[in-house]
Amino acid sequence: MNEPTVPTETEQIRDRLGALAEVLGEDRVLTADPDLWAYNNDCSPRGIILARAGRLDEHRPAAVVQPADEEQVREVVEWARRTGVPLVPYGAGSGVCRGAVPDERSVVVDLKRLDEVIEVDEEAAVARVQPGVIGYEFERELNRRGWTMGHYPSSLYCSSVGGYAAARSAGQLSSEYGKFEDMILSLRAVTGRGEVVETAPTGWHSSDAPGRGPNPTQLMVGSEGTLGLITELTVELDEAPERRRYRGFEFGDLSTGLEAIRRLMQSGVTPTVVRLYDPPDTLVKGGDDSEAGLMDRLRALADDHLPADLTDELREGARQARNAVARQVIGRPQLVNRVIDALGEASLLVVGFEGDDPRVEQRAEWAFDQLARRGVDLGPGPGEHWRKHRFDVSYKQSPVFDTGAFVDTMEVSTTWDRLEDLYRAVRRALTPHVLVLAHFSHVYPEGSSIYFTFVGYAENDEATLELYRRVWREGLDAVAEAGGSITHHHGVGDLKSAWLEEDHSGGTELFDALKESLDPDGIMNPGKLYEGRDP
Amino acid sequence: MSFYDERDLPAPVDERWPGDRDELRECIAEADGSDPPLALIGGGEHVRPELLEGTDYVAVRTEEVDEVLSVDGYSGRTRVEAGCRWGKLRERLRGEGLSARRFALQPSDATIGGLLARNQPLEPERGEGQIAQNCIALSSVGPTEAEYGYLPAPRKASGPDFRYVYIGGEGALGAILDATLVTPPRREARLIAAEAEGFEQAVGVHEQMRRLGLSPDWSYWRMASGRLECAFHGPEALVEAACEDLRAAVDTEVEIDGTEAALDRRRELEDDHPARRSLSAADRALDATWRRSELAEVLAMSDVELEDVLIWSWARRRVRGCVKAGADRGSLEPFTRAAVDRPSGDEGEGEAWYEGVKQKIDPGDVLVDVS
């Protein structure tokens, strides 16, 4: 006689999904394997490594639900409170820190059906938008009316407005427009209590009388779904730019380039785009922001020498050979880093001015003149090249993973006085393990972010995952020791949890207080932010 | 007239006078709730009188917690204790060759902590020049000895921004101990004064500036003087060109003066800033924020006899300022109704999230409750 089987946690959760199907509709409660695999990762490289290893079930959720409006979101949260099943919010899935990664005991809440641009108030220059709207679609709608949000992350085509708020995103034009937290005026969210909160403090966008207490907008922004699910955002708009001036400069070394952009940012003349590439990045990618730039170059070298009439079999053989070469290169990071370091010290700068006023040219000319005193004016070419390729990055990772290697990015920030020390400290920590490139791309009067790209390779999946963990551990330890912020615009997820107190000393107690107030049952995206573990 | 009378605040049952940030920290962290609740009072400008009405409270006066802790000219940042007065900071920056150009006009006697803690029931607007928009770090202490520190690094994506537990928090959840502000090196400046008899004319000059791509660092209009004054900072060639373009574009008389005059004028205006609690507590004055269009409408429609209108903050869509009635304050009702940060009276309730956090952070009710 067979022993009665004990239902797994996933099965127990699925037994309770009927109530949700009644509210959302049967077809909006997904439990088929292909659907669940589609939500077992965001864009985090660790998840891609797992997928490459065939470990698709490792973060497979119990179910995926797709509410259509705020009321349905509220019903989902009420269900989660009743059942104790954790919810993991999921927008477009473009995050890279595992902020939207579930497990088999949780249900993913896909918010992409909340995809309406509710209102564009042209007199107030604000827009109300639902979280599932894709950044590109939103920007296109605004542009059609002569407006812009000024938020252009490289993931523009595959990221959602709600995600921008949830993870404190930054766009490529941040030097002028700021980060997303500077653009957002207020939001609505369903908290873990199942209550709708609106953070608009005035009658400007809300008919309610102002509540008392500090404005919680900036407490919900960046909370990555751990306190509630964002259902609406009100953002500030600007007139869409009509004029653009871009220019490239080459500096003899990184220090000279950094000094040039520090002086520019403190001059009172604010560029829209500033991107200074460190010497390895200048040499390897030449201003192409795609993490795959190096791989593209290796491939191009090989492809140039392949006859056009190869059979598919031979072409596949060539691909494998090419990948083997790439692995050999990436697998010797110390050597490769040393070689690249020895090949050149020049740093490339791309700087751009955009706006709808006649002074754009004047400001640009003044800035170009200042920059030319320290560097070589390369003309508009590098800027045009960058503009053409600036959204490639989110689509070109797969060639790297295809070789058996992995690629990831670490975006940190600090004030000018510590910037070069931070840069060197992180490079020192990473170069023994991975190939490291960097650029300085979100620049402010008081400091800058540094965007490190690293590419690594190990012999097998387990070794790759261990290398990946080690790189993050040693990298963020170095960031913390150098006094930098552990993340400028990618968020935390569970990847950087262990270092959160470095940015917010005493933050755990405040987070616990917020969590207890807004999510007393602990059902909102558990295991993220302050509840995360080692990478 | 006492400090409290001048600010329309009820007198406390007792006062504490910490001398530096450590004493301020001890004052908050060691309170056990056996005394009446503590109310943090700097220059008094952030405290809403109705918060303390009918409440026995102990005033924690932060005016002696007023050191400029560090000045970093290279990164353009300055760290000050919470009780440091704006005027003291401004003059220190002037001496160090740094600039307050990113900030709107502030009352000289307001403390930095008070300006941050003041509850402003408004969404921020880009370019408004609020202190909070240029604060890159702060540290604070709560009543359970919990200290919080926000790392001084530009922007972050590391979770909720806990500075906003204290910014706008009116001291209900903890005390700001110190703050780091963005203070870039000083550049050339030009002071511009243009005739603008009415609000519409002042708006017209701003519209003209916007079309020309000019963003003044600060701007001040006073009805009684019929003048709009503003300052531009930046590279000399650019500010010169800006002034000439503006002179050519507006059809009123424009006077232009140099850097020292711009800095001196800022000092004068801030020393006599109408938002000083002691002035704005006057019966016939209303401090508020309006949409430009709505204030213009109320001014056009109103038959109220006005003594003066002063506007000291000009953002893209709204203005902040003060309206003084010739007779009694009741006649300012249309202005009150039009304000986007209109006083809520008793109609607003404490937000649920705030109540929960307050209970957790301050279980002994050591600090006054804003609800």
Side-chain angles (χ1 to χ4, degrees):
Chain A
M1 194 171 152
N2 291 336
E3 288 286 318
T5 53
V6 179
T8 63
E9 283 186 86
T10 297
E11 286 165 343
Q12 289 175 29
I13 292 169
R14 286 184 183 173
D15 286 344
R16 298 171 185 164
L17 290 173
L20 280 181
E22 278 178 28
V23 174
L24 308 180
E26 294 278 350
D27 58 337
R28 295 302 177 182
V29 179
L30 313 177
T31 54
D33 279 345
D35 290 326
L36 302 183
W37 289 331
Y39 290 86
N40 74 355
N41 188 34
D42 45 20
C43 273
S44 65
R46 180 178 179 274
I48 299 172
I49 296 168
L50 288 175
R52 190 177 62 192
R55 291 159 63 174
L56 292 175
D57 291 339
E58 200 138 316
H59 291 282
R60 188 179 65 164
V64 176
V65 297
Q66 299 175 313
D69 56 33
E70 184 178 272
E71 178 53 25
Q72 289 195 355
V73 172
R74 206 188 59 72
E75 295 268 12
V76 170
V77 175
E78 286 290 353
W79 173 87
R81 287 201 79 180
R82 285 197 304 274
T83 59
V85 175
L87 301 176
V88 178
Y90 202 100
S94 65
V96 290
C97 300
R98 304 204 297 263
V101 172
D103 62 26
E104 75 279 5
R105 293 180 301 276
S106 56
V107 166
V108 166
V109 185
D110 180 354
L111 293 160
K112 280 195 287 296
R113 290 179 73 209
L114 279 76
D115 62 352
E116 191 186 343
V117 178
I118 301 167
E119 180 190 10
V120 178
D121 179 344
E122 303 205 21
E123 195 212 330
V126 300
R128 290 167 55 215
V129 58
Q130 289 188 315
V133 174
I134 297 298
Y136 168 70
E137 299 290 344
F138 185 41
E139 193 59 29
R140 191 172 62 168
E141 172 64 16
L142 295 176
N143 290 171
R144 193 176 64 75
R145 300 163 183 249
W147 295 94
T148 181
M149 190 166 58
H151 191 68
Y152 291 87
S154 59
S155 60
L156 185 71
Y157 295 102
C158 61
S159 50
S160 66
V161 179
Y164 300 156
R168 295 186 170 271
S169 165
Q172 295 158 341
L173 315 186
S174 62
S175 292
E176 177 166 353
Y177 294 101
K179 287 181 66 196
F180 194 77
E181 63 258 36
D182 302 313
M183 301 165 187
I184 186 166
L185 299 175
S186 64
L187 55 81
R188 287 172 69 90
V190 178
T191 70
R193 285 184 182 275
E195 297 166 348
V196 176
V197 294
E198 169 155 13
T199 67
T202 74
W204 193 331
H205 301 297
S206 161
S207 56
D208 299 335
R212 296 286 173 79
N215 184 330
T217 305
Q218 295 295 334
L219 300 174
M220 295 299 291
V221 171
S223 62
E224 301 190 23
T226 58
L227 304 175
L229 300 171
I230 295 170
T231 53
E232 184 183 316
L233 307 96
T234 301
V235 296
E236 193 170 7
L237 306 178
D238 259 301
E239 288 89 356
E242 294 168 354
R243 297 172 168 85
R244 288 189 178 87
R245 290 289 307 278
Y246 278 78
R247 196 71 69 88
F249 292 87
E250 186 175 276
F251 299 97
D253 54 46
L254 180 64
S255 298
T256 307
L258 285 172
E259 182 61 6
I261 60 173
R262 181 185 74 86
R263 285 171 175 268
L264 177 60
M265 292 307 298
Q266 294 181 346
S267 72
V269 174
T270 306
T272 308
V273 173
V274 180
R275 303 179 80 83
L276 178 70
Y277 299 85
D278 78 344
D281 208 339
T282 299
L283 185 74
V284 172
K285 299 199 299 188
D288 180 350
D289 282 340
S290 161
E291 274 92 358
L294 171 65
M295 290 301 157
D296 285 349
R297 276 161 180 72
L298 289 172
R299 283 161 176 274
L301 278 175
D303 288 344
D304 286 349
H305 295 89
L306 288 180
D309 57 350
L310 279 185
T311 63
D312 287 348
E313 193 178 347
L314 284 172
R315 194 166 288 281
E316 174 58 18
R319 187 186 74 81
Q320 288 181 14
R322 217 168 42 205
N323 287 346
V325 171
R327 286 196 295 272
Q328 288 299 311
V329 174
I330 303 303
R332 291 172 171 74
Q334 282 177 309
L335 177 64
V336 178
N337 283 313
R338 273 209 305 273
V339 168
I340 291 174
D341 284 347
L343 286 176
E345 292 188 352
S347 268
L348 172 70
L349 170 70
V350 171
V351 61
F353 288 78
E354 298 189 4
D356 66 337
D357 64 74
R359 310 198 86 75
V360 169
E361 280 83 3
Q362 212 176 60
R363 287 196 294 270
E365 282 309 319
W366 183 87
F368 296 162
D369 180 59
Q370 297 297 308
L371 293 168
R373 295 176 189 191
R374 287 185 160 75
V376 178
D377 187 342
L378 303 176
E384 295 307 318
H385 178 82
W386 173 78
R387 273 183 55 76
K388 188 175 170 189
H389 295 281
R390 62 186 174 143
F391 299 122
D392 291 356
V393 59
S394 294
Y395 303 94
K396 286 196 154 183
Q397 289 190 344
S398 56
V400 180
F401 286 94
D402 190 36
T403 64
F406 68 85
V407 58
D408 204 349
T409 55
M410 183 184 291
E411 21 65 68
V412 301
S413 75
T414 192
T415 45
W416 289 109
D417 55 321
R418 295 177 174 184
L419 197 62
E420 281 200 69
D421 287 344
L422 175 62
Y423 167 76
R424 287 195 206 95
V426 175
R427 271 189 62 82
R428 252 196 320 273
L430 299 189
T431 48
H433 312 298
V434 284
L435 169 64
V436 187
L437 317 170
H439 63 262
F440 302 74
S441 56
H442 302 276
V443 185
Y444 309 95
E446 70 274 20
S448 173
S449 77
I450 314 176
Y451 194 91
F452 292 98
T453 299
F454 51 90
V455 187
Y457 172 75
E459 285 301 324
N460 56 52
D461 297 325
E462 275 312 313
T464 302
L465 287 168
E466 181 46 39
L467 174 63
Y468 183 78
R469 276 192 289 271
R470 184 172 184 182
V471 167
W472 273 105
R473 270 200 300 265
E474 295 186 13
L476 287 182
D477 279 349
V479 174
E481 199 166 320
S485 165
I486 58 161
T487 173
H488 176 266
H489 59 273
H490 283 175
V492 178
D494 67 357
L495 180 67
K496 303 169 189 172
S497 297
W499 292 269
L500 256 182
E501 279 267 347
E502 303 291 341
D503 274 20
H504 301 272
S505 70
T508 304
E509 185 168 348
L510 292 173
F511 181 75
D512 289 347
L514 270 175
K515 190 80 175 162
E516 202 168 300
S517 174
L518 295 171
D519 178 28
D521 304 317
I523 54 170
M524 303 308 299
N525 209 7
K528 310 294 172 17
L529 294 183
Y530 290 86
E531 297 175 341
R533 298 176 297 274
D534 188 66
Chain B
M1 207 177 199
S2 78
F3 173 91
Y4 300 97
D5 290 339
E6 273 188 354
R7 287 155 182 80
D8 216 12
L9 298 172
V13 296
D14 198 2
E15 288 183 331
R16 308 275 157 77
W17 286 85
D20 57 28
R21 66 186 298 287
D22 292 334
E23 287 183 17
L24 174 58
R25 181 176 52 217
E26 283 167 22
C27 185
I28 303 298
E30 291 176 3
D32 59 9
S34 57
D35 292 324
L38 306 176
L40 289 145
I41 296 181
E45 62 286 324
H46 77 280
V47 184
R48 284 179 290 130
E50 62 264 33
L51 196 70
L52 303 174
E53 211 63 63
T55 306
D56 284 343
Y57 73 98
V58 174
V60 179
R61 301 284 295 271
T62 63
E63 290 144 279
E64 293 177 4
V65 187
D66 69 342
E67 285 298 305
V68 175
L69 296 169
S70 63
V71 178
D72 172 4
Y74 186 78
S75 294
R77 60 178 173 144
T78 302
R79 182 167 169 246
V80 298
E81 287 186 322
C84 179
R85 292 183 185 276
W86 173 255
K88 176 177 177 175
L89 170 62
R90 181 195 60 224
E91 295 310 308
R92 175 70 182 272
L93 295 177
R94 190 169 176 173
E96 299 273 355
L98 299 178
S99 166
R101 68 172 185 256
R102 294 170 65 88
F103 300 90
L105 296 173
Q106 314 288 342
S108 288
D109 58 357
T111 61
I112 303 302
L115 289 166
L116 286 168
R118 180 177 186 162
N119 187 267
Q120 300 186 77
L122 283 173
E123 301 97 333
E125 186 170 359
R126 203 176 298 161
E128 239 177 355
Q130 289 182 18
I131 297 283
Q133 289 169 317
N134 292 293
C135 168
I136 58 163
L138 60 73
S139 63
S140 59
V141 63
T144 53
E145 296 186 40
E147 289 192 42
Y148 171 70
Y150 182 90
L151 185 79
R155 307 301 200 275
K156 290 173 192 65
S158 45
D161 187 342
F162 294 124
R163 287 177 301 171
Y164 285 86
V165 168
Y166 308 99
I167 291 173
E170 302 180 281
L173 297 173
I176 295 170
L177 298 173
D178 62 67
T180 304
L181 307 180
V182 181
T183 55
R186 189 167 70 231
R187 301 294 177 208
E188 280 293 313
R190 294 292 179 271
L191 175 67
I192 291 180
E195 284 178 23
E197 279 190 12
F199 181 70
E200 295 273 21
Q201 284 78 23
V203 169
V205 175
H206 277 95
E207 281 303 307
Q208 194 60 259
M209 287 195 282
R210 194 188 64 79
R211 280 193 286 275
L212 291 168
L214 304 175
S215 311
D217 298 296
W218 57 261
S219 184
Y220 179 85
W221 175 72
R222 183 167 189 181
M223 187 179 78
S225 70
R227 279 158 67 89
L228 174 73
E229 295 174 87
C230 50
F232 297 95
H233 288 75
E236 186 168 12
L238 297 187
V239 290
E240 280 290 340
C243 290
E244 289 313 313
D245 288 353
L246 184 61
R247 195 200 293 269
V250 298
D251 51 8
T252 62
E253 187 77 15
V254 174
E255 295 169 24
I256 299 173
D257 220 328
T259 305
E260 292 304 311
L263 297 174
D264 289 345
R265 185 60 180 147
R266 176 172 194 137
R267 178 198 292 146
E268 285 170 19
L269 292 173
E270 293 188 328
D271 284 351
D272 191 34
H273 197 294
R276 283 188 300 151
R277 173 63 73 194
S278 56
L279 285 183
S280 60
D283 285 344
R284 293 178 293 106
L286 169 69
D287 282 0
T289 303
W290 297 272
R291 279 189 180 194
R292 287 183 184 187
S293 56
E294 288 176 5
L295 179 59
E297 205 172 302
V298 176
L299 283 167
M301 303 278 288
S302 171
D303 53 6
V304 176
E305 183 199 342
L306 294 176
E307 184 183 307
D308 208 351
V309 179
L310 306 96
I311 304 294
W312 61 81
S313 171
W314 292 78
R316 283 193 309 176
R317 294 175 297 273
R318 65 190 192 206
V319 294
R320 179 159 184 80
C322 174
V323 179
K324 290 182 183 174
D328 67 303
R329 185 174 173 150
S331 61
L332 295 177
E333 181 55 26
F335 293 93
T336 306
R337 276 202 311 273
V340 290
D341 56 350
R342 61 184 178 275
S344 61
D346 293 329
E347 55 194 335
E349 291 179 3
E351 298 282 2
W353 77 269
Y354 162 77
E355 302 290 353
V357 171
K358 173 78 175 169
Q359 214 165 34
K360 177 93 166 113
I361 291 180
D362 185 15
D365 290 328
V366 166
L367 299 167
V368 289
D369 190 346
V370 298
S371 63

